[in-house]
Amino acid sequence: GSDDIIAGNVSKYTVLPAGYCGQPKKGHLIFDACFESGNLGRVDPITDFEYDLFIRPDTCNPRFRVWFNFTVENVKESQ
């Protein structure tokens, strides 16, 4: 559920279509937050163009999520 504790950052997480095997192709997004100040805890794909992103709580106050910092790579044109 949305109340689950997210312990760590996403590290070079590649979103692949269900049943896909092989190397990622252009458009298979790669999310990363494994760097200082990164705070992306989980990525849930909804469609090829929609994702639910779960941001980890702020360090000093777990009730707040007032910023976000992560990267997205391997996008294709018009994605």
Side-chain angles (χ1 to χ4, degrees):
S2 61
D3 293 335
D4 292 345
I5 295 173
I6 300 170
N9 283 329
V10 166
S11 179
K12 295 287 183 182
Y13 176 72
T14 304
V15 179
L16 299 172
Y20 179 83
C21 295
Q23 293 295 317
K25 295 180 180 178
K26 198 72 161 172
H28 294 160
L29 300 184
I30 301 169
F31 292 87
D32 187 33
C34 197
F35 50 85
E36 185 175 348
S37 78
N39 68 337
L40 181 61
R42 192 172 91 211
V43 177
D44 291 347
I46 305 301
T47 69
D48 288 345
F49 299 97
E50 184 179 357
Y51 304 86
D52 281 342
L53 305 178
F54 295 84
I55 304 302
R56 290 186 315 103
D58 290 353
T59 303
C60 295
N61 191 338
R63 293 180 21 218
F64 293 105
R65 289 165 178 87
V66 296
W67 56 273
F68 55 91
N69 194 6
F70 58 91
T71 64
V72 181
E73 302 173 29
N74 205 35
V75 297
K76 64 182 175 185
E77 188 175 337
S78 75
Q79 189 178 17

